mmCIF file of all heavy atoms in Angstrom:
data_model
loop_
_atom_site.group_PDB
_atom_site.id
_atom_site.type_symbol
_atom_site.label_atom_id
_atom_site.label_comp_id
_atom_site.label_asym_id
_atom_site.label_seq_id
_atom_site.Cartn_x
_atom_site.Cartn_y
_atom_site.Cartn_z
ATOM 1 N N LEU S 48 -12.257 -9.508 13.069
ATOM 2 C CA LEU S 48 -10.925 -9.865 12.550
ATOM 3 C C LEU S 48 -10.727 -9.165 11.250
ATOM 4 O O LEU S 48 -11.572 -9.274 10.314
ATOM 5 C CB LEU S 48 -10.816 -11.396 12.364
ATOM 6 C CG LEU S 48 -11.141 -12.258 13.577
ATOM 7 C CD1 LEU S 48 -10.997 -13.748 13.185
ATOM 8 C CD2 LEU S 48 -10.249 -11.914 14.735
ATOM 9 N N ASP S 49 -9.610 -8.369 11.137
ATOM 10 C CA ASP S 49 -9.401 -7.597 9.883
ATOM 11 C C ASP S 49 -7.955 -7.735 9.411
ATOM 12 O O ASP S 49 -7.025 -7.777 10.243
ATOM 13 C CB ASP S 49 -9.693 -6.100 10.258
ATOM 14 C CG ASP S 49 -11.141 -5.861 10.637
ATOM 15 O OD1 ASP S 49 -11.922 -5.651 9.683
ATOM 16 O OD2 ASP S 49 -11.426 -5.907 11.821
ATOM 17 N N PRO S 50 -7.752 -7.807 8.084
ATOM 18 C CA PRO S 50 -6.419 -7.972 7.559
ATOM 19 C C PRO S 50 -5.425 -6.935 7.977
ATOM 20 O O PRO S 50 -4.218 -7.255 8.092
ATOM 21 C CB PRO S 50 -6.673 -7.968 6.045
ATOM 22 C CG PRO S 50 -8.058 -8.404 5.836
ATOM 23 C CD PRO S 50 -8.811 -7.883 6.987
ATOM 24 N N TYR S 51 -5.899 -5.694 8.253
ATOM 25 C CA TYR S 51 -4.890 -4.649 8.582
ATOM 26 C C TYR S 51 -4.112 -5.017 9.858
ATOM 27 O O TYR S 51 -3.002 -4.544 10.099
ATOM 28 C CB TYR S 51 -5.528 -3.286 8.711
ATOM 29 C CG TYR S 51 -6.341 -3.117 10.041
ATOM 30 C CD1 TYR S 51 -5.665 -2.744 11.227
ATOM 31 C CD2 TYR S 51 -7.726 -3.345 10.115
ATOM 32 C CE1 TYR S 51 -6.339 -2.572 12.395
ATOM 33 C CE2 TYR S 51 -8.390 -3.219 11.338
ATOM 34 C CZ TYR S 51 -7.672 -2.857 12.447
ATOM 35 O OH TYR S 51 -8.385 -2.729 13.643
ATOM 36 N N MET S 144 -16.963 -0.554 9.412
ATOM 37 C CA MET S 144 -15.802 -0.088 8.626
ATOM 38 C C MET S 144 -15.680 -0.724 7.281
ATOM 39 O O MET S 144 -15.471 -0.063 6.250
ATOM 40 C CB MET S 144 -14.506 -0.244 9.480
ATOM 41 C CG MET S 144 -13.235 0.244 8.847
ATOM 42 S SD MET S 144 -12.511 -0.943 7.722
ATOM 43 C CE MET S 144 -11.723 -2.132 8.848
ATOM 44 N N PRO S 145 -15.839 -2.092 7.142
ATOM 45 C CA PRO S 145 -15.692 -2.683 5.795
ATOM 46 C C PRO S 145 -16.774 -2.214 4.805
ATOM 47 O O PRO S 145 -16.478 -1.919 3.689
ATOM 48 C CB PRO S 145 -15.821 -4.177 6.073
ATOM 49 C CG PRO S 145 -15.377 -4.328 7.536
ATOM 50 C CD PRO S 145 -15.943 -3.115 8.235
ATOM 51 N N THR S 148 -16.018 1.229 3.788
ATOM 52 C CA THR S 148 -14.943 1.185 2.819
ATOM 53 C C THR S 148 -15.458 0.985 1.383
ATOM 54 O O THR S 148 -15.117 1.639 0.440
ATOM 55 C CB THR S 148 -13.907 0.051 3.131
ATOM 56 O OG1 THR S 148 -13.403 0.255 4.431
ATOM 57 C CG2 THR S 148 -12.751 -0.026 2.165
ATOM 58 N N PHE S 168 -11.499 -7.337 -6.393
ATOM 59 C CA PHE S 168 -10.696 -8.392 -5.717
ATOM 60 C C PHE S 168 -11.392 -8.811 -4.425
ATOM 61 O O PHE S 168 -12.110 -8.004 -3.793
ATOM 62 C CB PHE S 168 -9.337 -7.838 -5.306
ATOM 63 C CG PHE S 168 -8.228 -7.975 -6.384
ATOM 64 C CD1 PHE S 168 -8.465 -7.697 -7.751
ATOM 65 C CD2 PHE S 168 -6.977 -8.511 -6.011
ATOM 66 C CE1 PHE S 168 -7.495 -7.763 -8.639
ATOM 67 C CE2 PHE S 168 -5.959 -8.624 -6.945
ATOM 68 C CZ PHE S 168 -6.169 -8.245 -8.279
ATOM 69 N N ALA S 169 -11.054 -10.000 -3.908
ATOM 70 C CA ALA S 169 -11.599 -10.514 -2.657
ATOM 71 C C ALA S 169 -13.111 -10.271 -2.562
ATOM 72 O O ALA S 169 -13.629 -9.805 -1.611
ATOM 73 C CB ALA S 169 -10.883 -9.895 -1.440
ATOM 74 N N ALA S 170 -13.775 -10.639 -3.659
ATOM 75 C CA ALA S 170 -15.138 -10.207 -3.953
ATOM 76 C C ALA S 170 -16.164 -10.892 -2.988
ATOM 77 O O ALA S 170 -17.313 -10.397 -2.910
ATOM 78 C CB ALA S 170 -15.586 -10.489 -5.406
ATOM 79 N N THR S 171 -15.810 -11.938 -2.275
ATOM 80 C CA THR S 171 -16.737 -12.499 -1.301
ATOM 81 C C THR S 171 -16.414 -12.103 0.120
ATOM 82 O O THR S 171 -17.044 -12.516 1.099
ATOM 83 C CB THR S 171 -16.766 -14.062 -1.419
ATOM 84 O OG1 THR S 171 -15.440 -14.528 -1.075
ATOM 85 C CG2 THR S 171 -17.164 -14.558 -2.772
ATOM 86 N N GLY S 172 -15.391 -11.243 0.262
ATOM 87 C CA GLY S 172 -14.982 -10.788 1.637
ATOM 88 C C GLY S 172 -15.883 -9.692 2.128
ATOM 89 O O GLY S 172 -16.848 -9.293 1.494
ATOM 90 N N ALA S 173 -15.510 -9.155 3.315
ATOM 91 C CA ALA S 173 -16.407 -8.109 3.948
ATOM 92 C C ALA S 173 -16.459 -6.907 3.107
ATOM 93 O O ALA S 173 -17.540 -6.351 2.819
ATOM 94 C CB ALA S 173 -15.816 -7.802 5.306
ATOM 95 N N VAL S 174 -15.347 -6.458 2.594
ATOM 96 C CA VAL S 174 -15.323 -5.213 1.746
ATOM 97 C C VAL S 174 -15.862 -5.525 0.319
ATOM 98 O O VAL S 174 -16.761 -4.865 -0.185
ATOM 99 C CB VAL S 174 -13.924 -4.591 1.624
ATOM 100 C CG1 VAL S 174 -13.893 -3.442 0.663
ATOM 101 C CG2 VAL S 174 -13.450 -4.147 3.029
ATOM 102 N N GLY S 175 -15.250 -6.536 -0.308
ATOM 103 C CA GLY S 175 -15.582 -6.862 -1.699
ATOM 104 C C GLY S 175 -16.993 -7.207 -1.948
ATOM 105 O O GLY S 175 -17.561 -6.873 -2.984
ATOM 106 N N TYR S 192 -13.156 -11.295 -8.564
ATOM 107 C CA TYR S 192 -11.838 -11.896 -8.699
ATOM 108 C C TYR S 192 -11.551 -12.578 -7.379
ATOM 109 O O TYR S 192 -11.325 -11.896 -6.328
ATOM 110 C CB TYR S 192 -10.752 -10.796 -8.990
ATOM 111 C CG TYR S 192 -9.479 -11.260 -9.457
ATOM 112 C CD1 TYR S 192 -9.272 -11.852 -10.714
ATOM 113 C CD2 TYR S 192 -8.327 -11.109 -8.662
ATOM 114 C CE1 TYR S 192 -8.071 -12.328 -11.107
ATOM 115 C CE2 TYR S 192 -7.088 -11.533 -9.039
ATOM 116 C CZ TYR S 192 -6.983 -12.133 -10.321
ATOM 117 O OH TYR S 192 -5.754 -12.550 -10.694
ATOM 118 N N VAL S 193 -11.556 -13.901 -7.342
ATOM 119 C CA VAL S 193 -11.624 -14.646 -6.081
ATOM 120 C C VAL S 193 -10.738 -15.814 -6.049
ATOM 121 O O VAL S 193 -10.137 -16.205 -7.058
ATOM 122 C CB VAL S 193 -13.071 -15.120 -5.785
ATOM 123 C CG1 VAL S 193 -14.052 -14.065 -5.471
ATOM 124 C CG2 VAL S 193 -13.571 -15.952 -6.947
ATOM 125 N N GLY S 194 -10.480 -16.372 -4.861
ATOM 126 C CA GLY S 194 -9.373 -17.368 -4.638
ATOM 127 C C GLY S 194 -9.873 -18.810 -4.817
ATOM 128 O O GLY S 194 -9.021 -19.722 -4.678
ATOM 129 N N SER S 195 -11.141 -19.080 -5.091
ATOM 130 C CA SER S 195 -11.547 -20.544 -5.232
ATOM 131 C C SER S 195 -12.886 -20.605 -6.090
ATOM 132 O O SER S 195 -13.556 -19.595 -6.171
ATOM 133 C CB SER S 195 -11.796 -21.148 -3.879
ATOM 134 O OG SER S 195 -12.966 -20.598 -3.282
ATOM 135 N N LYS S 198 -15.859 -19.790 -3.922
ATOM 136 C CA LYS S 198 -16.116 -18.350 -3.802
ATOM 137 C C LYS S 198 -16.647 -17.759 -5.079
ATOM 138 O O LYS S 198 -17.519 -16.845 -5.069
ATOM 139 C CB LYS S 198 -14.786 -17.632 -3.416
ATOM 140 C CG LYS S 198 -14.337 -17.899 -2.018
ATOM 141 C CD LYS S 198 -13.031 -17.134 -1.633
ATOM 142 C CE LYS S 198 -12.643 -17.322 -0.200
ATOM 143 N NZ LYS S 198 -11.472 -16.523 0.184
ATOM 144 N N ARG S 214 -8.637 -16.572 -9.318
ATOM 145 C CA ARG S 214 -7.282 -15.999 -9.465
ATOM 146 C C ARG S 214 -6.181 -17.078 -9.307
ATOM 147 O O ARG S 214 -5.142 -16.870 -9.781
ATOM 148 C CB ARG S 214 -7.075 -14.877 -8.480
ATOM 149 C CG ARG S 214 -7.008 -15.323 -7.022
ATOM 150 C CD ARG S 214 -6.645 -14.139 -6.104
ATOM 151 N NE ARG S 214 -6.856 -14.440 -4.704
ATOM 152 C CZ ARG S 214 -5.972 -15.073 -3.931
ATOM 153 N NH1 ARG S 214 -4.806 -15.410 -4.408
ATOM 154 N NH2 ARG S 214 -6.237 -15.336 -2.668
ATOM 155 N N ASN S 237 -6.888 -5.499 -3.573
ATOM 156 C CA ASN S 237 -6.373 -5.557 -2.217
ATOM 157 C C ASN S 237 -5.075 -6.323 -2.177
ATOM 158 O O ASN S 237 -4.643 -6.778 -1.125
ATOM 159 C CB ASN S 237 -7.375 -6.103 -1.178
ATOM 160 C CG ASN S 237 -7.475 -7.635 -1.372
ATOM 161 O OD1 ASN S 237 -7.285 -8.127 -2.485
ATOM 162 N ND2 ASN S 237 -7.851 -8.292 -0.341
ATOM 163 N N ASP S 238 -4.477 -6.472 -3.351
ATOM 164 C CA ASP S 238 -3.172 -7.111 -3.381
ATOM 165 C C ASP S 238 -2.293 -6.475 -4.425
ATOM 166 O O ASP S 238 -2.741 -6.267 -5.539
ATOM 167 C CB ASP S 238 -3.306 -8.623 -3.653
ATOM 168 C CG ASP S 238 -2.046 -9.347 -3.247
ATOM 169 O OD1 ASP S 238 -1.257 -8.863 -2.477
ATOM 170 O OD2 ASP S 238 -1.817 -10.474 -3.843
ATOM 171 N N GLU S 242 0.844 -10.538 -9.933
ATOM 172 C CA GLU S 242 -0.263 -10.808 -10.802
ATOM 173 C C GLU S 242 -0.971 -9.508 -11.287
ATOM 174 O O GLU S 242 -1.670 -9.525 -12.314
ATOM 175 C CB GLU S 242 -1.297 -11.736 -10.138
ATOM 176 C CG GLU S 242 -2.016 -11.099 -8.963
ATOM 177 C CD GLU S 242 -2.825 -12.065 -8.134
ATOM 178 O OE1 GLU S 242 -3.750 -12.712 -8.665
ATOM 179 O OE2 GLU S 242 -2.547 -12.235 -6.924
ATOM 180 N N LEU S 258 -6.217 1.178 -4.958
ATOM 181 C CA LEU S 258 -5.390 0.252 -4.263
ATOM 182 C C LEU S 258 -5.768 0.378 -2.791
ATOM 183 O O LEU S 258 -5.576 1.399 -2.135
ATOM 184 C CB LEU S 258 -3.861 0.658 -4.396
ATOM 185 C CG LEU S 258 -3.375 0.883 -5.809
ATOM 186 C CD1 LEU S 258 -1.875 1.263 -5.763
ATOM 187 C CD2 LEU S 258 -3.466 -0.447 -6.644
ATOM 188 N N THR S 259 -6.349 -0.710 -2.275
ATOM 189 C CA THR S 259 -6.866 -0.626 -0.923
ATOM 190 C C THR S 259 -6.076 -1.466 0.053
ATOM 191 O O THR S 259 -6.278 -1.304 1.259
ATOM 192 C CB THR S 259 -8.390 -1.146 -0.868
ATOM 193 O OG1 THR S 259 -8.331 -2.547 -1.209
ATOM 194 C CG2 THR S 259 -9.252 -0.345 -1.770
ATOM 195 N N GLY S 260 -5.282 -2.352 -0.372
ATOM 196 C CA GLY S 260 -4.488 -3.143 0.589
ATOM 197 C C GLY S 260 -3.410 -3.958 -0.144
ATOM 198 O O GLY S 260 -3.253 -3.775 -1.367
ATOM 199 N N ALA S 261 -2.743 -4.750 0.615
ATOM 200 C CA ALA S 261 -1.565 -5.484 0.048
ATOM 201 C C ALA S 261 -1.416 -6.821 0.798
ATOM 202 O O ALA S 261 -0.565 -6.913 1.635
ATOM 203 C CB ALA S 261 -0.298 -4.627 0.192
ATOM 204 N N MET S 262 -2.381 -7.736 0.501
ATOM 205 C CA MET S 262 -2.394 -8.977 1.249
ATOM 206 C C MET S 262 -1.071 -9.680 1.298
ATOM 207 O O MET S 262 -0.659 -10.200 2.374
ATOM 208 C CB MET S 262 -3.509 -9.908 0.725
ATOM 209 C CG MET S 262 -4.910 -9.473 1.023
ATOM 210 S SD MET S 262 -5.320 -9.421 2.757
ATOM 211 C CE MET S 262 -5.482 -11.159 3.186
ATOM 212 N N SER S 263 -0.397 -9.804 0.148
ATOM 213 C CA SER S 263 0.848 -10.521 0.142
ATOM 214 C C SER S 263 1.888 -9.879 1.069
ATOM 215 O O SER S 263 2.692 -10.517 1.733
ATOM 216 C CB SER S 263 1.456 -10.590 -1.251
ATOM 217 O OG SER S 263 0.459 -11.006 -2.174
ATOM 218 N N TYR S 265 1.204 -8.054 3.708
ATOM 219 C CA TYR S 265 0.830 -8.242 5.131
ATOM 220 C C TYR S 265 1.345 -9.580 5.640
ATOM 221 O O TYR S 265 1.588 -9.767 6.820
ATOM 222 C CB TYR S 265 -0.698 -8.262 5.348
ATOM 223 C CG TYR S 265 -1.413 -6.959 4.913
ATOM 224 C CD1 TYR S 265 -2.807 -6.925 4.890
ATOM 225 C CD2 TYR S 265 -0.690 -5.801 4.608
ATOM 226 C CE1 TYR S 265 -3.478 -5.810 4.555
ATOM 227 C CE2 TYR S 265 -1.388 -4.651 4.292
ATOM 228 C CZ TYR S 265 -2.773 -4.635 4.209
ATOM 229 O OH TYR S 265 -3.472 -3.503 3.838
ATOM 230 N N ASN S 266 1.480 -10.542 4.659
ATOM 231 C CA ASN S 266 1.887 -11.928 5.036
ATOM 232 C C ASN S 266 3.358 -12.142 4.950
ATOM 233 O O ASN S 266 3.856 -13.238 4.848
ATOM 234 C CB ASN S 266 1.148 -12.925 4.158
ATOM 235 C CG ASN S 266 -0.345 -13.096 4.531
ATOM 236 O OD1 ASN S 266 -0.684 -12.906 5.684
ATOM 237 N ND2 ASN S 266 -1.142 -13.378 3.575
ATOM 238 N N PHE S 289 -6.426 4.387 -1.414
ATOM 239 C CA PHE S 289 -7.696 4.606 -0.684
ATOM 240 C C PHE S 289 -7.555 4.224 0.824
ATOM 241 O O PHE S 289 -7.088 3.169 1.057
ATOM 242 C CB PHE S 289 -8.773 3.718 -1.325
ATOM 243 C CG PHE S 289 -10.124 3.856 -0.614
ATOM 244 C CD1 PHE S 289 -11.021 4.857 -0.999
ATOM 245 C CD2 PHE S 289 -10.413 3.084 0.475
ATOM 246 C CE1 PHE S 289 -12.225 4.981 -0.299
ATOM 247 C CE2 PHE S 289 -11.548 3.227 1.165
ATOM 248 C CZ PHE S 289 -12.474 4.207 0.784
ATOM 249 N N VAL S 290 -7.950 5.146 1.662
ATOM 250 C CA VAL S 290 -7.951 4.897 3.108
ATOM 251 C C VAL S 290 -9.301 5.226 3.678
ATOM 252 O O VAL S 290 -9.753 6.373 3.603
ATOM 253 C CB VAL S 290 -6.834 5.697 3.752
ATOM 254 C CG1 VAL S 290 -6.825 5.394 5.323
ATOM 255 C CG2 VAL S 290 -5.458 5.333 3.187
ATOM 256 N N VAL S 291 -9.928 4.259 4.280
ATOM 257 C CA VAL S 291 -11.333 4.500 4.788
ATOM 258 C C VAL S 291 -11.375 5.541 5.833
ATOM 259 O O VAL S 291 -12.396 6.246 6.025
ATOM 260 C CB VAL S 291 -11.894 3.151 5.276
ATOM 261 C CG1 VAL S 291 -11.178 2.651 6.509
ATOM 262 C CG2 VAL S 291 -13.396 3.280 5.574
ATOM 263 N N PHE S 292 -10.243 5.759 6.541
ATOM 264 C CA PHE S 292 -10.225 6.726 7.676
ATOM 265 C C PHE S 292 -10.574 8.180 7.192
ATOM 266 O O PHE S 292 -10.987 9.013 7.917
ATOM 267 C CB PHE S 292 -8.896 6.773 8.345
ATOM 268 C CG PHE S 292 -8.418 5.443 8.965
ATOM 269 C CD1 PHE S 292 -7.131 5.060 8.975
ATOM 270 C CD2 PHE S 292 -9.419 4.592 9.524
ATOM 271 C CE1 PHE S 292 -6.760 3.850 9.593
ATOM 272 C CE2 PHE S 292 -9.002 3.457 10.142
ATOM 273 C CZ PHE S 292 -7.709 3.075 10.129
ATOM 274 N N LEU S 334 -8.242 -16.194 8.012
ATOM 275 C CA LEU S 334 -8.490 -14.942 7.270
ATOM 276 C C LEU S 334 -7.323 -14.596 6.414
ATOM 277 O O LEU S 334 -7.408 -14.229 5.157
ATOM 278 C CB LEU S 334 -8.802 -13.789 8.227
ATOM 279 C CG LEU S 334 -8.920 -12.406 7.656
ATOM 280 C CD1 LEU S 334 -10.202 -12.192 6.839
ATOM 281 C CD2 LEU S 334 -8.899 -11.334 8.768
ATOM 282 N N MET S 335 -6.090 -14.603 6.980
ATOM 283 C CA MET S 335 -4.924 -14.160 6.304
ATOM 284 C C MET S 335 -4.420 -15.178 5.251
ATOM 285 O O MET S 335 -3.565 -14.839 4.432
ATOM 286 C CB MET S 335 -3.817 -13.813 7.261
ATOM 287 C CG MET S 335 -4.140 -12.627 8.145
ATOM 288 S SD MET S 335 -4.793 -11.194 7.259
ATOM 289 C CE MET S 335 -3.379 -10.741 6.248
ATOM 290 N N ARG S 336 -4.990 -16.384 5.254
ATOM 291 C CA ARG S 336 -4.650 -17.354 4.201
ATOM 292 C C ARG S 336 -5.743 -17.366 3.124
ATOM 293 O O ARG S 336 -5.657 -18.166 2.182
ATOM 294 C CB ARG S 336 -4.579 -18.759 4.772
ATOM 295 C CG ARG S 336 -3.358 -18.940 5.651
ATOM 296 C CD ARG S 336 -3.156 -20.420 6.043
ATOM 297 N NE ARG S 336 -1.970 -20.532 6.774
ATOM 298 C CZ ARG S 336 -1.788 -21.385 7.772
ATOM 299 N NH1 ARG S 336 -2.771 -22.234 8.103
ATOM 300 N NH2 ARG S 336 -0.691 -21.425 8.426
ATOM 301 N N GLY S 337 -6.734 -16.448 3.195
ATOM 302 C CA GLY S 337 -7.721 -16.368 2.243
ATOM 303 C C GLY S 337 -8.810 -17.517 2.397
ATOM 304 O O GLY S 337 -9.466 -17.834 1.412
ATOM 305 N N GLU S 338 -8.846 -18.132 3.543
ATOM 306 C CA GLU S 338 -9.744 -19.279 3.714
ATOM 307 C C GLU S 338 -11.147 -18.952 4.273
ATOM 308 O O GLU S 338 -11.993 -19.793 4.451
ATOM 309 C CB GLU S 338 -9.103 -20.312 4.605
ATOM 310 C CG GLU S 338 -7.853 -20.968 3.977
ATOM 311 C CD GLU S 338 -7.010 -21.798 4.899
ATOM 312 O OE1 GLU S 338 -7.367 -21.972 6.080
ATOM 313 O OE2 GLU S 338 -5.907 -22.108 4.532
ATOM 314 N N THR S 339 -11.381 -17.614 4.494
ATOM 315 C CA THR S 339 -12.683 -17.231 4.984
ATOM 316 C C THR S 339 -13.539 -16.681 3.852
ATOM 317 O O THR S 339 -12.969 -16.276 2.852
ATOM 318 C CB THR S 339 -12.562 -16.154 6.091
ATOM 319 O OG1 THR S 339 -11.892 -15.020 5.571
ATOM 320 C CG2 THR S 339 -11.846 -16.712 7.306
ATOM 321 N N GLY S 341 -16.789 -13.877 3.502
ATOM 322 C CA GLY S 341 -17.649 -12.947 4.273
ATOM 323 C C GLY S 341 -16.860 -12.316 5.454
ATOM 324 O O GLY S 341 -15.621 -12.523 5.556
ATOM 325 N N LYS S 342 -17.557 -11.605 6.267
ATOM 326 C CA LYS S 342 -16.875 -10.889 7.398
ATOM 327 C C LYS S 342 -16.367 -11.907 8.425
ATOM 328 O O LYS S 342 -17.161 -12.698 8.992
ATOM 329 C CB LYS S 342 -17.885 -9.915 8.032
ATOM 330 C CG LYS S 342 -17.355 -9.239 9.253
ATOM 331 C CD LYS S 342 -16.140 -8.360 8.981
ATOM 332 C CE LYS S 342 -15.374 -8.026 10.292
ATOM 333 N NZ LYS S 342 -14.021 -7.556 10.022
ATOM 334 N N ALA S 343 -15.083 -11.852 8.778
ATOM 335 C CA ALA S 343 -14.479 -12.778 9.755
ATOM 336 C C ALA S 343 -14.799 -12.275 11.171
ATOM 337 O O ALA S 343 -14.422 -11.101 11.506
ATOM 338 C CB ALA S 343 -13.016 -12.929 9.519
HETATM 339 N N1 LIG B 401 -7.685 0.957 2.495
HETATM 340 C C1 LIG B 401 -8.622 0.873 3.374
HETATM 341 O O1 LIG B 401 -9.066 1.880 3.964
HETATM 342 C C2 LIG B 401 -9.191 -0.510 3.718
HETATM 343 C C3 LIG B 401 -10.302 -0.652 4.594
HETATM 344 C C4 LIG B 401 -10.726 -1.917 4.894
HETATM 345 C C5 LIG B 401 -10.150 -3.052 4.280
HETATM 346 N N2 LIG B 401 -9.088 -2.828 3.444
HETATM 347 C C6 LIG B 401 -8.475 -3.950 2.778
HETATM 348 O O2 LIG B 401 -9.447 -4.583 1.966
HETATM 349 C C7 LIG B 401 -9.130 -5.915 1.860
HETATM 350 C C8 LIG B 401 -10.364 -6.747 2.229
HETATM 351 O O3 LIG B 401 -10.636 -6.635 3.607
HETATM 352 P P1 LIG B 401 -11.681 -7.581 4.262
HETATM 353 O O4 LIG B 401 -11.744 -7.234 5.696
HETATM 354 O O5 LIG B 401 -12.939 -7.525 3.462
HETATM 355 O O6 LIG B 401 -11.050 -9.031 4.171
HETATM 356 P P2 LIG B 401 -11.584 -10.285 3.354
HETATM 357 O O7 LIG B 401 -11.776 -9.905 1.912
HETATM 358 O O8 LIG B 401 -12.718 -10.862 4.117
HETATM 359 O O9 LIG B 401 -10.325 -11.270 3.462
HETATM 360 C C9 LIG B 401 -9.160 -11.075 2.701
HETATM 361 C C10 LIG B 401 -9.246 -11.728 1.322
HETATM 362 O O10 LIG B 401 -8.196 -11.259 0.513
HETATM 363 C C11 LIG B 401 -8.023 -12.129 -0.617
HETATM 364 N N3 LIG B 401 -6.645 -12.245 -0.936
HETATM 365 C C12 LIG B 401 -6.125 -11.557 -2.083
HETATM 366 N N4 LIG B 401 -4.825 -11.834 -2.142
HETATM 367 C C13 LIG B 401 -4.501 -12.638 -1.128
HETATM 368 C C14 LIG B 401 -3.289 -13.220 -0.635
HETATM 369 N N5 LIG B 401 -2.146 -13.013 -1.323
HETATM 370 N N6 LIG B 401 -3.315 -13.979 0.450
HETATM 371 C C15 LIG B 401 -4.485 -14.131 1.110
HETATM 372 N N7 LIG B 401 -5.652 -13.603 0.749
HETATM 373 C C16 LIG B 401 -5.654 -12.877 -0.340
HETATM 374 C C17 LIG B 401 -8.741 -13.460 -0.126
HETATM 375 O O11 LIG B 401 -9.886 -13.578 -0.933
HETATM 376 P P3 LIG B 401 -9.899 -14.470 -2.238
HETATM 377 O O12 LIG B 401 -9.486 -15.868 -1.773
HETATM 378 O O13 LIG B 401 -11.245 -14.384 -2.776
HETATM 379 O O14 LIG B 401 -8.832 -13.858 -3.169
HETATM 380 C C18 LIG B 401 -9.079 -13.185 1.303
HETATM 381 O O15 LIG B 401 -10.201 -13.961 1.650
HETATM 382 C C19 LIG B 401 -7.964 -6.240 2.779
HETATM 383 O O16 LIG B 401 -6.713 -6.241 2.018
HETATM 384 C C20 LIG B 401 -7.921 -5.056 3.681
HETATM 385 O O17 LIG B 401 -6.685 -4.759 4.188
HETATM 386 C C21 LIG B 401 -8.644 -1.585 3.154
#
Side-chain angles (χ1 to χ4, degrees):
L48 305 178
D49 296 274
Y51 77 83
M144 182 277 282
T148 301
F168 270 50
T171 61
V174 174
Y192 192 68
V193 291
S195 70
K198 288 183 176 183
R214 68 176 168 85
N237 72 332
D238 196 23
E242 66 190 302
L258 307 178
T259 63
M262 288 297 285
S263 311
Y265 298 170
N266 285 332
F289 177 91
V290 180
V291 67
F292 299 145
L334 172 70
M335 295 312 297
R336 288 189 178 147
E338 292 168 9
T339 57
K342 174 63 197 163

